[in-house]
Amino acid sequence: MSRKQKLHEPLPLDFDDVLTAISDEQRPAETSFSARPFLKWVGGKRSILDELIRRLPTTYTTYCELFLGGGALYFAVKPALAYLSDVNFHLIVTFEAVRDDVEGVIRELTIHSAHHSKPYFLEGREKIFTETDSTKLAAWFIYLNKTCYNGLYRVNKAGKFNVPMGSYKDPTILDEDNLRLCAQVLKNADIRQHDFAQKKPQKDAFYYVDPPYHKTYSGYDGTGFGDEQHKNLALFCRKIDAAGGFFMMSNSDTPFIRGLYDGFAIETVSASRSVSCKGGQRGKEQELLVRNYE
Ligand SMILES: C[S@@+](CC[C@H](N)C(=O)[O-])C[C@H]1O[C@@H](n2cnc3c(N)ncnc32)[C@H](O)[C@@H]1O
């Protein structure tokens, strides 16, 4: 544990970013009017949000989430200053469109809601790869996410979205109020599409690191996330630590992952998982949380 004292020291006055998300008292309370993730996402962290929030650093500058997915922790924390990234192009275009043109996204989703059917869903699976307008692409992405099997995002070798339609009676395709709340939260967020390793670690920034689980579902974009990527991520977390940043990493509890983070604070919490290594299974599993601070 290299940063034990850090949290209780005053921050220097000359840091690059504006101080944000200072303490529990300043964090907005969860209410029914709070923004919730507008996407279902495999590996989404809603089931362990309380555990994650309890373990956030007391002080930090920018909130960085480099494996954004549905952004469950981000929407719960609502940091004033955020850097959000993911390798998934469609996901990032969608977040940008909700931030920049939420009314346009709502308008398009109104059309999709009215036309929802199996043929329309199949049309959407094609459209998402040919659409050049980002607002329309975002609406197709949200529509597919709400109507496909388990909200899964999976592409085949040719890069085509190939998840079948889910068997929902009346899926909620459009939640206008929540989309507008999400747009407000996202207003000042810096949103980028890239690999986690492309972000240069910064002093006093907080990194929530939530990669595809080791040894379970990792097919979000067709390239997977294997042992090599987990090793690279552990090196990246050590760079965050060396730069004077804070990281919290969640993952499956395997000896391999524990070995990679030897020397940091390692804990387990109980989490509900919707996709396991056998695919499509649900259940409670132990989730590993690793931090470089207390
Ligand atoms: C477990 S999910 C994140 C879930 C998210 N925390 C939530 O609450 O919904 C993992 C995410 O990592 C992304 N991802 C996979 N490989 C990546 C890489 N090399 N760099 C950045 N993101 C990656 C996937 O697209 C996926 O969205």
Side-chain angles (χ1 to χ4, degrees), residues 216-233:
T216 58
Y217 182 79
S218 67
Y220 298 92
D221 69 346
T223 56
F225 203 92
D227 287 5
E228 271 317 298
Q229 282 94 336
H230 280 291
K231 279 188 201 164
N232 289 338
L233 178 58

Side-chain angles (χ1 to χ4, degrees), residues 69-250:
L73 182 61
Y74 167 72
F75 284 115
V77 175
K78 303 171 188 61
L81 202 64
Y83 183 94
L84 310 174
S85 66
D86 196 289
V87 81
N88 185 321
F89 168 78
H90 292 106
L91 178 79
I92 292 302
V93 170
T94 301
F95 266 82
E96 286 172 335
V98 169
R99 179 192 62 191
D100 300 337
D101 184 20
V102 71
E103 295 308 322
V105 173
I106 289 171
R107 201 175 50 240
E108 291 297 317
L109 278 172
T110 307
I111 299 170
H112 297 335
S113 291
H115 289 85
H116 177 49
S117 66
K118 180 90 184 267
Y120 197 75
F121 172 87
L122 295 177
E123 188 186 328
R125 289 204 322 188
E126 295 301 317
K127 282 274 173 61
I128 194 157
F129 286 92
T130 53
E131 185 56 70
T132 53
D133 178 275
S134 52
T135 299
K136 289 183 177 170
L137 191 151
W140 279 119
F141 189 82
I142 295 171
Y143 166 69
L144 291 173
N145 176 265
K146 300 294 181 181
T147 54
C148 76
Y149 178 76
N150 261 353
L152 218 57
Y153 182 90
R154 188 186 61 204
V155 292
N156 62 19
K157 288 216 164 71
K160 293 253 173 162
F161 182 80
N162 67 355
V163 181
M165 195 167 105
S167 51
Y168 310 109
K169 266 209 177 94
D170 189 15
T172 304
I173 293 165
L174 172 59
D175 181 344
E176 292 188 38
D177 294 342
N178 188 50
L179 274 171
R180 289 193 182 102
L181 288 169
C182 289
Q184 269 173 31
V185 176
L186 286 166
K187 209 160 57 180
N188 297 316
D190 188 353
I191 305 173
R192 306 287 174 105
Q193 186 225 348
H194 62 67
D195 183 273
F196 69 87
Q198 284 171 249
K199 175 76 179 147
K200 189 168 179 276
Q202 281 183 337
K203 186 172 184 304
D204 294 320
F206 167 64
Y207 297 81
Y208 175 49
V209 178
D210 184 26
Y213 290 121
H214 181 234
K215 296 284 179 217
T216 58
Y217 182 79
S218 67
Y220 298 92
D221 69 346
T223 56
F225 203 92
D227 287 5
E228 271 317 298
Q229 282 94 336
H230 280 291
K231 279 188 201 164
N232 289 338
L233 178 58
L235 287 176
F236 179 76
C237 288
R238 287 183 191 277
K239 282 187 194 162
I240 295 175
D241 186 55
F246 305 100
F247 77 82
M248 173 159 65
M249 198 255 341
S250 27

